[in-house]
């Protein structure tokens, strides 16, 4: 097999792996309800203000 074929297959595998990672994170992000997101944001803000003081 020529080197350019190997490089092309490696690139294709990289693109496919990136797509899988993006799809997983998107599914995980969409699984939260708006109330859950709001409460998490409030928790993060409270933690951030505690660290400043």
């Amino acid at each position: 097999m020529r080197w350019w074929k190997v490089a092309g297959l490696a690139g294709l595998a990289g693109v496919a792996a990136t797509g899988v990672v993006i799809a997983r994170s998107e599914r995980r992000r969409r699984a939260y309800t708006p109330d859950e997101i709001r409460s998490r944001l409030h928790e993060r803000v409270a933690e951030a203000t505690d660290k400043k003081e």
Side-chain angles (χ1 to χ4, degrees), residues 17-51:
T18 302
V20 169
V21 169
I22 290 172
R24 272 189 195 161
S25 65
E26 186 67 18
R27 247 182 299 163
R28 195 175 300 139
R29 187 181 67 81
R30 289 179 184 245
Y32 296 120
T33 65
D35 290 331
E36 289 174 328
I37 294 171
R38 189 175 301 113
S39 66
R40 283 176 171 240
L41 286 173
H42 285 298
E43 289 172 9
R44 289 174 62 184
V45 167
E47 287 176 10
T49 55
D50 288 342
K51 289 181 183 178

